[in-house]
Amino acid sequence: MVLIHGLGLILVCLVLCVLGSPVQPSEPPRRPLVVWHGLGDSYASPGMLEFMNLIKDIHPGIFIHSVYLNENIEEDERAGFFGNVNDQVLFAAEQLANVTELQGGFDAIGFSQGGQFLRAYVERFNSPPVHNLITFGSQHMGVSDLPACSAWDVLCQLARRAARGGVYTEWAQTHLVQAQYFRDPDRLDAYIAHNKFLASINGEVEDLRDPAYVTNLASLNSLVLVLFSADKTVVPKESSWFGSYAPSPEGAHGDASEKTVVPMRLQPLYKNDWIGLRKLDQSGRVILETCEGEHMQLTDECWRPLVKRFVGDVLDDDESAVYRVPGYEQMVLGV
């Protein structure tokens, strides 16, 4: 009897403790996020980790996956300069397909070249599917000059020197990342004949055009294209909005300030809708944004409103059932 009374007392105390404790509200399930870093960065650099934590402050409970090409941080950074981009996008697609938390789909943010790589993922794979895609300072129409390197960045200087030596050679087009999105407006025939990556995802090679690219890109809820107003790394900066330099007039050798920029809606890929961009735009789902400053100068005024608007939507019951994985409550809600 003493044991029974003692057990009853313990149960009463437990009930009172529970009733007297403040209820911890659980975080609602949110659409997860995938990020892909830019040139000279890695998937787990201090800057990337800080940015992901800031997003978690805005959207508590959100799951974020940072794409890596090598789990070794130094090798992952090197892969931003050297490698076959088509193979890298395939590797990323296989990686994302094996992340349980992403199986219902996700939003995505691409920084600099990571933006066009994520677009390639959408066009070629999109399984699991991307909902909103934000690209910051990306080179969607390539670059007409290779990104400048800081004086102490030896890795960048080596890659730049090698690419400049023969940007459209077979070796450069399969080993130098920046060469694979170098688009010389005065050598378009060479670009279309030899480019292994950008010309494909932009539908510029007739034999490689794929209706699936159109379907997949047009399935995005929103494509947010962010241009940096004083960008000198992306040449021309309008590439972030699918703009490119027009071919120079015959015999002209003017500098960049004298070149004409062909805007997105006048591009052949848009007018002919080779990749679904026109369909996306005409339905109001292409958003052109400008951030003040130089390349990848991400001020709070620049990125926060976009992350609040296009990332981390709270899922309704039907959607959250798709995203919920075994152990979800323990992992996200802490129960």
Side-chain angles (χ1 to χ4, degrees):
M1 291 296 293
V2 175
L3 179 60
I4 295 175
H5 286 303
L7 182 58
L9 184 60
I10 292 172
L11 289 173
V12 170
C13 289
L14 286 173
V15 170
L16 290 174
C17 287
V18 170
L19 292 176
S21 299
V23 176
Q24 297 295 327
S26 62
E27 297 298 343
R30 297 181 180 275
R31 182 174 290 107
L33 173 67
V34 167
V35 295
W36 196 328
H37 65 82
L39 180 65
D41 206 350
S42 72
Y43 76 101
S45 68
M48 287 295 290
L49 295 176
E50 179 185 8
F51 189 80
M52 288 187 282
N53 284 331
L54 290 171
I55 292 176
K56 290 177 181 179
D57 289 341
I58 295 172
H59 300 301
I62 191 172
F63 175 86
I64 304 177
H65 177 82
S66 185
V67 173
Y68 59 85
L69 298 175
N70 194 303
E71 292 188 72
N72 178 284
I73 290 179
E74 291 182 356
E75 288 301 311
D76 189 60
E77 180 180 343
R78 186 179 188 279
F81 293 97
F82 299 99
N84 185 309
V85 177
N86 291 316
D87 291 345
Q88 292 178 347
V89 173
L90 174 59
F91 180 87
E94 293 172 345
Q95 179 184 135
L96 298 177
N98 284 288
V99 179
T100 305
E101 293 85 352
L102 302 177
Q103 294 317 295
F106 53 89
D107 296 317
I109 296 177
F111 299 107
S112 195
Q113 66 182 21
Q116 62 259 32
F117 299 166
L118 278 169
R119 175 166 66 87
Y121 165 81
V122 171
E123 292 180 11
R124 292 177 173 175
F125 304 99
N126 210 34
S127 180
V130 176
H131 184 69
N132 291 326
L133 173 60
I134 307 173
T135 67
F136 286 97
S138 298
Q139 301 87 41
H140 290 293
M141 286 301 292
V143 292
S144 298
D145 193 11
L146 296 172
C149 304
S150 61
W152 56 86
D153 195 338
V154 177
L155 188 65
C156 177
Q157 291 181 34
L158 288 173
R160 195 174 196 272
R161 192 176 301 124
R164 274 190 167 280
V167 71
Y168 293 131
T169 63
E170 180 70 19
W171 187 86
Q173 288 296 316
T174 53
H175 291 83
L176 299 176
V177 170
Q178 286 67 56
Q180 292 164 69
Y181 58 82
F182 186 85
R183 187 179 186 276
D184 188 338
D186 297 324
R187 299 175 63 197
L188 287 179
D189 289 345
Y191 159 75
I192 291 172
H194 301 291
N195 183 271
K196 302 295 186 183
F197 171 68
L198 186 71
S200 168
I201 67 166
N202 282 357
E204 295 178 285
V205 182
E206 185 174 0
D207 293 343
L208 298 180
R209 288 175 196 151
D210 189 336
Y213 289 17
V214 178
T215 301
N216 288 343
L217 190 68
S219 73
L220 288 172
N221 182 69
S222 297
L223 173 61
V224 185
L225 306 173
V226 182
L227 173 150
F228 289 94
S229 63
D231 200 331
K232 297 179 180 64
T233 300
V234 177
V235 181
K237 65 184 180 183
E238 290 83 2
S239 183
S240 298
W241 284 357
F242 279 91
S244 67
Y245 282 145
S248 301
E250 186 107 16
H253 299 286
D255 60 26
S257 64
E258 299 172 337
K259 291 181 178 290
T260 300
V261 172
V262 180
M264 177 182 74
R265 295 183 179 96
L266 295 182
Q267 295 287 351
L269 71 82
Y270 182 94
K271 292 193 291 184
N272 297 295
D273 210 18
W274 290 334
I275 60 172
L277 183 63
R278 188 182 70 189
K279 181 178 181 180
L280 199 64
D281 181 46
Q282 290 181 342
S283 60
R285 289 176 290 148
V286 174
I287 294 92
L288 304 179
E289 293 283 349
T290 300
C291 286
E292 299 302 320
E294 296 184 6
H295 187 66
M296 294 310 300
Q297 285 189 341
L298 286 171
T299 62
D300 283 358
E301 294 77 14
C302 165
W303 69 268
R304 279 185 181 273
L306 299 177
V307 165
K308 288 179 180 179
R309 180 179 172 188
F310 295 105
V311 171
D313 280 351
V314 174
L315 304 173
D316 60 32
D317 291 341
D318 291 338
E319 288 179 304
S320 63
V322 176
Y323 287 84
R324 201 171 293 270
V325 297
Y328 176 89
E329 287 81 4
Q330 289 79 9
M331 177 179 65
V332 177
L333 305 182
V335 299

